[in-house]
Amino acid sequence: MRKLYFLVPGTHGKFACGGLWAELKTVKLAQQICRADVVTYRQRETDQLFIDDVLAEKNLDAAIFVISWGFDVAKLAAKLKQYNVIYHAHSAGYKFSLPASIPIITVSRNTMGYWGQKSPNSLIYYLPNQISNEFENLHLERDIDVLVQARKSSEYLMQSLIPALQKQCKVKLVDYYVEDLPGLFNQAKIYLYDSAEYWAQQLVSEGFGLQPMEALACGCQVFSSINGGLSDYLDPGFNCYKIAGYSKEYDVQRVIKVLKYSPTIDLPEEFFAEYRTENIIQRFQIILQELNEFFDHKSKFSGKIQDLSPTRVAKLRIQNIYKKIRQQYF
């Protein structure tokens, strides 16, 4: 099996974010299957490989480059076009296309559907993000009524709903890094998450949305937006509540009702099994086996399926219009 090089711009400083942590988690999972290393390409780091040094090595046909940083994918794909490349897709909506020679692994079914339409000739796989086993319901006494993390929260949530809730219950607003997030979730009865506005400003989608799932695993009732990858697993009325539901007053009414009658939730572990380590490693191994076979084939044969380019789509539309005219008048 080929070695994997996971390309990230850097591993700390200005590049620190949820997407980076998710990618570094994926590296650790991959290392349980085959050889895998992190490679930086924007900043040199003393304890990491750097892209220029790796590209100077020989026999790179025995390696696969994994690209994931959305804003850099188009440039990296062009730079690495002579090598074996995989796109590990988190968010959807970036304004680039990829050739069929680059397989795509998506972290959500939402993103998989996006690429299934945009790149129909590419190999596409689904590998969800991992939820660590430490996120579990400890069945402790909970002293926080409503928990909110400021990052990615909407203006409505921060300026309207939270002030209204603070008049009726105990609200904890977190605007700093939390070392023990499972512990915090186990202190809270309800978790609020509203990221649709944030991602609309970024012009891309919510790739996965790990925090609402982590909160559910810890027994929190969740009020959340259902945008992007959140739609993979959130099911309003059954395992969560849709936030920003028509009016602030209605949101407050529903939150207080949940606090009064069902402040916690206890979903079966089967619900989370798809996102736990064991299942992800099993899926990852199958995906990597298929991708190694694909790159063996790619080294001997060229792709011959027509791309679904804008020009081809326009041509197909014209053909369909002409066909309908002929059927109607001739």
Side-chain angles (χ1 to χ4, degrees), residues 317-330:
R317 285 176 176 170
I318 293 171
Q319 288 176 348
N320 285 333
I321 293 171
Y322 179 66
K323 182 179 179 180
K324 289 179 181 179
I325 293 174
R326 288 193 61 185
Q327 289 174 341
Q328 185 172 355
Y329 295 104
F330 301 100

Side-chain angles (χ1 to χ4, degrees), residues 30-97:
Q31 288 171 340
Q32 298 184 49
I33 303 169
C34 63
R35 294 173 300 146
D37 278 322
V38 172
V39 177
T40 65
Y41 57 85
R42 283 205 201 174
Q43 63 183 22
R44 282 188 178 271
E45 299 179 6
T46 55
D47 54 346
Q48 304 293 349
L49 298 172
F50 188 68
I51 183 64
D52 292 345
D53 300 329
V54 173
L55 293 180
E57 296 177 4
K58 297 179 179 178
N59 194 28
L60 286 175
D61 184 57
I64 298 172
F65 292 93
V66 184
I67 57 178
S68 62
W69 211 261
F71 298 106
D72 296 340
V73 164
K75 290 182 179 179
L76 288 172
K79 182 174 183 175
L80 301 170
K81 62 182 179 180
Q82 70 185 88
Y83 305 107
N84 302 318
V85 179
I86 298 170
Y87 174 38
H88 189 203
H90 294 260
S91 302
Y94 295 101
K95 306 300 181 183
F96 61 80
S97 297

Side-chain angles (χ1 to χ4, degrees), residues 92 108-115 205-207 227-232:
S108 71
R109 297 188 186 278
N110 182 274
T111 301
M112 181 168 64
Y114 169 87
W115 280 106
S205 73
E206 171 83 79
N227 48 294
L230 294 166
S231 63
D232 267 32

Side-chain angles (χ1 to χ4, degrees), residues 118-142:
K118 187 175 179 63
S119 193
N121 300 335
S122 298
L123 293 180
I124 301 175
Y125 299 91
Y126 166 60
L127 185 73
N129 280 336
Q130 175 202 28
I131 174 172
S132 303
N133 291 334
E134 61 187 326
F135 289 95
E136 61 176 342
N137 189 349
L138 301 177
H139 302 283
L140 304 175
E141 190 72 25
R142 297 171 186 260

Side-chain angles (χ1 to χ4, degrees), residues 154-165 248 252:
S154 66
E155 185 177 277
Y156 160 73
L157 190 60
M158 298 295 290
Q159 298 184 13
S160 296
L161 184 57
I162 291 175
L165 288 172
K248 175 187 69 178
V252 171

